[in-house]
Amino acid sequence: MTAAPGYWMNETSGVLRPAVEAYLRGDPLDDGQIAALRAYFRQWIAGPWAADPGLDKLRESVDGLTSRRAIVRWLDLAMEENIDPL
């Protein structure tokens, strides 16, 4: 069984938390923050529910998260599947 993914509020690198907080505040995201969010979402979509074929679109599209707009769309799709990484 795959372990549940880590939660952003518990991360200790000092990279992800500021990126998530900037996203949630609606602040502009730089390339590093987008990369941190993308990596975080990648681990979420590889969580225990990853075997669900209904999540193929999320798995396939996570690497294309290169802007706030793409992140918003991806999170909307995730929420439709009851996956809420934030």
Side-chain angles (χ1 to χ4, degrees), residues 14 19 29 31 41 45 52-53 58 65 69 73 80 82 85:
L29 301 172
D31 291 342
F41 298 145
I45 202 56
D52 182 344
L58 285 171
L65 301 181
R69 186 176 195 186
R73 285 193 306 263
E80 288 175 14
N82 296 313

Side-chain angles (χ1 to χ4, degrees), residues 6 13 21 26-27 35-37 39 45 47 53 64 69-70 74 76:
S13 73
E21 289 173 346
D27 294 347
L37 289 167
I45 202 56
R69 186 176 195 186
W74 192 89
D76 286 345

Side-chain angles (χ1 to χ4, degrees), residues 9-59:
M9 292 184 84
N10 299 326
E11 75 94 22
T12 58
S13 73
V15 175
L16 179 59
R17 187 179 188 116
V20 172
E21 289 173 346
Y23 174 81
L24 293 174
R25 282 191 307 265
D27 294 347
L29 301 172
D30 64 32
D31 291 342
Q33 291 170 317
I34 290 171
L37 289 167
R38 183 174 49 244
Y40 175 63
F41 298 145
R42 189 178 296 119
Q43 65 130 3
W44 266 83
I45 202 56
W49 45 80
D52 182 344
L55 302 180
D56 286 347
K57 186 171 183 174
L58 285 171
R59 280 190 291 276

